[in-house]
Amino acid sequence: MIHTAKQLKDKVKNMSGGNSEVDDLTWGEISETIVEEIPIVLEDFLLKNFNI
């Protein structure tokens, strides 16, 4: 299981075969997805734990 951003980046690098162009593109897509999901996860957490 992946617990840190570095582990995730290393996994992407391994999957891309070390191609830095592919690595940068894939890491950019993953980063964008994570940023899009943060508000959703935060909202769910607040609703479940604090009844806001």
Side-chain angles (χ1 to χ4, degrees):
M1 179 162 233
I2 296 173
H3 297 286
T4 66
K6 180 168 179 8
Q7 289 175 326
L8 179 59
K9 189 170 185 176
D10 290 343
K11 176 79 170 171
V12 169
K13 185 175 182 180
N14 289 337
M15 291 173 61
S16 70
N19 184 340
S20 63
E21 184 177 323
V22 172
D23 182 40
D24 292 342
L25 176 63
T26 306
W27 182 245
E29 291 172 355
I30 291 171
S31 299
E32 184 178 314
T33 302
I34 291 170
V35 169
E36 290 172 357
E37 293 296 322
I38 288 173
I40 296 167
V41 172
L42 181 59
E43 181 180 0
D44 288 346
F45 174 79
L46 292 174
L47 288 172
K48 288 179 183 175
N49 294 303
F50 298 103
N51 295 323
I52 293 176

